[in-house]
Amino acid sequence: MSDLKQTALHDLHVELGAKMVPFAGYSMPVQYPLGVMKEHVHTRAAAGLFDVSHMGQVVVRAKSCSYEDAALAMESLVPVDVLGLDEMRQRYAMFTDPNGGILDDLMLANLGDHLFVVVNAGCKDDDIALMKEALSDRCDIEVLDDRALLALQGPKAEAALARLQPSVAEMKFMDVARDVDIDGITVTLSRSGYTGEDGYEISVANADAEALARKLLALEEVEPIGLGARDSLRLEGGLCLYGHDIDTTTTPVEAALNWAIQKVRRNDGERAGGFPGAGVVLQQLTDGAPRKRVGLLPEGRAPMREGVAIFDAAEGGNEVGTVTSGGFGPTVGGPVAMGYVSAEHAKVDTPLWGEVRGKRLPLTVTKMPFVAANFKR
């Protein structure tokens, strides 16, 4: 793994006994000695600390230094209301291509005079190139390579972090705060994450990342958690993983991400369209998409993983979809999956069959998330 990049917490991961694996060009911890199952359960019950420093952190600042100008520029790339985002608030978004496909999903935050953007590790080079090409005439694009990103997730995250900085307890889901002192270390943080649990994402200078991580790990509620448990947590939360559940072959409407497209960007909205692939996406919002991302609950104990073909009959019949993420859900206590099925088979409680090693096993279309979100709203 000598050619892999390392985050500022790499040496700490090794010291803590993590099993390191290649992920999106980085050497990352997939699990610690506690093990994936116990790490998952601990995060659901207390608080887990994740290193997500491999993700990209970018500042988009209008040359006019106006947030409004930066927001309107960004709206040319995403189908989301960026202009209407309140100051010190964050919103989920996605870059789209001319066909309405999803280039990446991301988080946008209004930090008063600029946008703070967090993009996926595997897409960040392309995302940065896209923003520079499309926005550089109006905005300066600054890549924050000198910052780490930590995620503290779980129902006891607030109580733990508030002992180091009491003001974080006042934040609500998707609130953002900058220049916050966490026991002597200055950070920018949001009340958000990608596990379905309450918690915080904390942007901190690389030079301070290990010291901050050690302060958090010293709290009795907090354990280090690896990529393995992060994946099962987000799957139970019904959250998409880019490159698996969403990519350039899926539109936001097919991916059931309609909730992320606010009224002002839809047909008859004040700023309808104007993003790549708007014709496709807006038509699907009105008429529906030919297929849809759904939750899938396999019967029995056998997990159905990515690539499993889905049929409308136990024998014969038609192939009507594919699993895009699947595995054992420790909180659910059984296998869970999500995938795409044709629109006529997307209704909740529809019985279908997944073909595993040549044998068709029953599953049922179900609501997501599999485990209710625990956000503080």
Side-chain angles (χ1 to χ4, degrees):
M1 294 196 291
S2 58
D3 57 341
L4 295 174
K5 299 176 185 175
Q6 297 179 356
T7 73
L9 298 180
H10 178 271
D11 291 349
L12 178 60
H13 297 318
V14 173
E15 177 185 320
L16 294 173
K19 179 182 178 182
M20 306 299 289
V21 299
F23 183 81
Y26 284 79
S27 174
M28 297 296 292
V30 68
Q31 67 176 76
Y32 296 86
L34 195 61
V36 173
M37 183 74 74
K38 289 183 178 178
E39 290 174 22
H40 179 114
V41 171
H42 181 86
T43 304
R44 288 272 187 247
L49 183 66
F50 302 78
D51 180 10
V52 288
S53 305
H54 55 313
M55 302 180 79
Q57 301 181 62
V58 183
V59 166
V60 178
R61 189 187 307 273
K63 295 184 185 298
S64 64
C65 295
S66 156
Y67 172 78
E68 288 75 14
D69 289 343
L72 288 172
M74 183 59 76
E75 285 191 359
S76 68
L77 298 178
V78 300
V80 170
D81 177 11
V82 188
L83 182 62
L85 183 59
D86 289 339
E87 188 169 337
M88 308 314 291
R89 291 284 293 167
Q90 180 172 265
R91 176 165 283 164
Y92 178 83
M94 66 290 290
F95 291 128
T96 49
D97 70 14
N99 299 316
I102 300 173
L103 291 166
D104 194 12
D105 59 345
L106 61 145
M107 299 302 296
L108 301 169
N110 174 355
L111 294 193
D113 59 354
H114 67 270
L115 271 168
F116 178 59
V117 182
V118 177
V119 298
N120 280 307
C123 302
K124 65 181 177 183
D125 290 343
D126 290 340
D127 292 343
I128 292 164
L130 173 69
M131 287 187 280
K132 286 183 174 178
E133 180 178 353
L135 308 181
S136 287
D137 59 332
R138 293 163 282 175
C139 301
D140 293 320
I141 312 299
E142 180 186 4
V143 181
L144 305 181
D145 286 328
D146 59 346
R147 296 189 73 80
L149 191 65
L150 282 64
L152 185 66
Q153 302 280 286
K156 296 184 180 179
E158 177 189 290
L161 191 59
R163 291 206 298 280
L164 301 180
Q165 174 48 261
S167 68
V168 301
E170 300 169 6
M171 297 174 68
K172 300 290 191 292
F173 183 56
M174 291 297 196
D175 278 352
V176 182
R178 58 195 297 192
D179 299 328
V180 177
D181 184 295
I182 303 290
D183 198 27
I185 297 174
T186 302
V187 307
T188 294
L189 76 166
S190 60
R191 191 149 193 167
S192 60
Y194 215 62
T195 61
E197 287 294 332
D198 184 26
Y200 304 84
E201 290 189 325
I202 308 168
S203 173
V204 59
N206 278 336
D208 294 328
E210 183 174 326
L212 177 62
R214 289 186 185 277
K215 289 176 185 289
L216 296 172
L217 290 170
L219 301 168
E220 62 180 359
E221 300 93 339
V222 181
E223 290 284 349
I225 309 296
L227 293 174
R230 182 173 173 83
D231 191 54
S232 57
L233 288 160
R234 71 91 196 161
L235 175 58
E236 286 186 337
L239 301 168
C240 296
L241 179 62
Y242 192 82
H244 299 263
D245 309 299
I246 50 176
D247 57 26
T248 54
T249 70
T250 57
T251 70
V253 180
E254 290 174 325
L257 297 173
N258 306 26
W259 57 269
I261 305 175
Q262 289 75 31
K263 288 184 179 179
V264 295
R265 305 304 311 279
R266 299 187 178 203
N267 285 324
D268 301 324
E270 293 176 16
R271 299 189 306 285
F275 57 89
V280 175
V281 174
L282 296 183
Q283 181 181 9
Q284 289 186 349
L285 279 171
T286 301
D287 301 332
R291 60 177 186 153
K292 184 180 177 184
R293 181 175 63 94
V294 296
L296 301 164
L297 207 54
E299 292 183 18
R301 305 291 289 179
M304 294 189 187
R305 304 192 187 279
E306 181 178 4
V308 166
I310 301 171
F311 293 84
D312 60 0
E315 296 181 3
N318 302 298
E319 184 173 335
V320 298
T322 308
V323 172
T324 52
S325 282
F328 183 81
T331 309
V332 173
V336 293
M338 68 172 81
Y340 286 83
V341 298
S342 56
E344 58 266 37
H345 296 93
K347 187 177 179 181
V348 170
D349 294 332
T350 300
L352 295 170
W353 286 261
E355 192 164 278
V356 180
R357 294 187 292 276
K359 184 178 181 181
R360 292 191 190 176
L361 304 174
L363 53 81
T364 304
V365 176
T366 187
K367 288 182 179 178
M368 291 191 287
F370 298 100
V371 175
N374 192 27
F375 306 137
K376 182 177 179 180
R377 299 185 186 276

